[in-house]
């Protein structure tokens, strides 16, 4: 099987990523609680710098983290050492459509919109089916994605905005192809990447086609039901034939 990861734009912003995403904290306890309930080990796809994985490991749960960016994994490894949890983190370079994981687990996660890096339904189905393969029967896949609001597009389109001190972000939205070209630059590097969004019903359809049962579709990480906002938080189960 080919486990070679694609070249990653994240390598260029690996040291900018944590300060850039400093304000994103609302999802951490959600994913840590799921991991605690699962009891571990957990596979996190698109583990990045360990924003979720390190608190998960600190909660006592072993994490197998897959990411296509060696740079992001290097930052994660250093942070895990500093936090004293490196022995509970198993970091692997790889593509989330073909994760280099032979273990079977009861929880797979893909936090903070990493599935938006997939660009067509073929890639999305490959990724969802690969996640399903990692799960024991009855195991859960949890992830979050977004669909932009008109207000968000109008407020941000084509403008460099200072998201954090000295870290600038620019969103170029293509509503026809439903693609966001996202650029970021900060003291440690710069990158441009493309993200593709779907409507929630399309994610539901893909999950079902990939062999999942949808357990929950939240509108936020506090578990409120989805009611038409930008964020979708999904929990789906690999059916247990028993
Ligand atoms: C928005 S970051 C999320 C990182 C982390 N999960 C978090 O919550 O902060 C997306 C991550 O997905 C990774 N990624 C993107 N496409 C990938 C792919 N095809 N295979 C593996 N990782 C991928 C990127 O390298 C990046 O680290």
């Amino acid at each position: 099987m080919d486990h070679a990861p694609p070249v990653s734009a994240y390598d260029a912003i690996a040291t900018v990523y944590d300060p850039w995403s400093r304000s994103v904290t609302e999802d951490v306890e959600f994913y840590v609680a799921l991991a605690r309930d699962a009891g571990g080990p957990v596979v996190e796809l698109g583990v990045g710098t360990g924003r979720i994985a390190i608190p998960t490991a600190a909660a006592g749960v072993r994490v197998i983290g897959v990411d296509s960016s060696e740079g992001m994994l290097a930052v994660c490894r250093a942070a895990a050492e500093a936090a004293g949890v490196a022995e509970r983190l198993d970091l692997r370079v790889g593509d989330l459509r073909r994760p280099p994981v032979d273990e079977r687990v009861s929880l797979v996660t893909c936090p903070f919109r990493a599935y938006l890096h997939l660009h067509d339904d073929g890639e999305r189905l490959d990724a969802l089916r690969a996640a399903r393969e990692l799960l024991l029967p009855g195991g859960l896949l949890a992830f979050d994605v977004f669909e932009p609001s008109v207000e968000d597009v109008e407020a941000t389109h084509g403008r460099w905005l200072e998201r954090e001190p000295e870290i600038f972000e620019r969103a170029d939205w293509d509503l026809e192809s439903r693609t966001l070209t996202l650029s970021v630059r900060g003291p440690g590097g710069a990158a441009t990447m493309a993200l593709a969004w779907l409507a929630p019903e399309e994610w539901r359809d893909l999950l079902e086609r990939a062999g999942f049962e949808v357990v929950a579709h939240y509108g936020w990480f506090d578990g409120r039901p989805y009611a038409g906002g930008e964020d979708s938080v999904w929990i789906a189960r690999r059916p247990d034939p028993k």
Side-chain angles (χ1 to χ4, degrees):
M1 192 185 285
D2 176 15
H3 285 153
V7 174
S8 173
Y10 280 88
D11 285 334
I13 52 159
T15 59
V16 179
Y17 182 84
D18 284 343
W20 178 34
S21 58
R22 184 179 6 237
S23 66
V24 183
T25 54
E26 61 275 356
D27 53 354
V28 177
E29 188 44 40
F30 172 81
Y31 285 108
V32 171
L34 284 173
R36 256 197 227 101
D37 289 349
V42 171
V43 174
E44 183 180 336
L45 301 168
V47 68
T49 57
R51 197 179 57 82
I52 306 277
I54 290 171
T56 304
V61 182
R62 200 163 78 78
V63 180
I64 301 169
V66 174
D67 204 284
S68 53
S69 165
E70 302 232 25
M72 295 288 274
L73 291 180
V75 173
C76 185
R77 203 167 285 117
E81 297 279 355
V85 298
E87 79 287 350
R88 282 202 283 278
L89 271 192
D90 178 351
L91 299 176
R92 304 181 190 179
V93 182
D95 191 321
L96 56 77
R97 291 165 295 175
R98 298 178 290 279
V101 178
D102 294 323
E103 295 86 339
R104 293 298 173 260
V105 298
S106 54
L107 179 66
V108 172
T109 63
C110 189
F112 202 17
R113 307 168 171 182
Y115 278 153
L116 298 190
H117 290 294
L118 304 169
H119 290 282
D120 58 43
D121 281 355
E123 290 190 346
R124 295 178 190 112
L125 280 170
D126 283 351
L128 293 174
R129 287 181 177 135
R132 184 181 181 278
E133 277 309 299
L134 298 177
L135 286 167
L136 295 163
L140 299 177
L141 168 67
F143 66 98
D144 56 278
V145 286
F146 84 100
E147 181 186 35
S149 65
V150 175
E151 295 75 26
D152 190 14
V153 171
E154 284 173 356
T156 59
H157 182 67
R159 300 165 52 207
W160 282 101
L161 300 170
E162 191 169 18
R163 166 93 177 248
E164 295 289 343
E166 292 186 75
I167 301 180
F168 294 84
E169 183 184 283
R170 174 180 165 140
D172 289 280
W173 306 92
D174 183 333
L175 298 181
E176 201 166 312
S177 65
R178 295 193 289 176
T179 305
L180 161 63
T181 303
L182 183 64
S183 301
V184 58
R185 55 180 159 83
T192 295
M193 57 189 83
L195 295 104
W197 71 87
L198 294 179
E201 283 318 305
E202 295 173 287
W203 280 109
R204 181 183 294 275
D205 179 58
L206 287 169
L207 281 165
E208 288 170 0
R209 283 168 65 192
F212 283 102
E213 295 168 354
V214 173
V215 174
H217 177 201
Y218 301 127
W220 194 238
F221 299 97
D222 57 8
R224 74 184 73 160
Y226 178 77
E230 293 194 302
D231 293 279
S232 274
V233 183
W234 294 91
I235 301 179
R237 180 188 292 119
R238 176 180 182 151
D240 186 344
K242 275 184 287 174

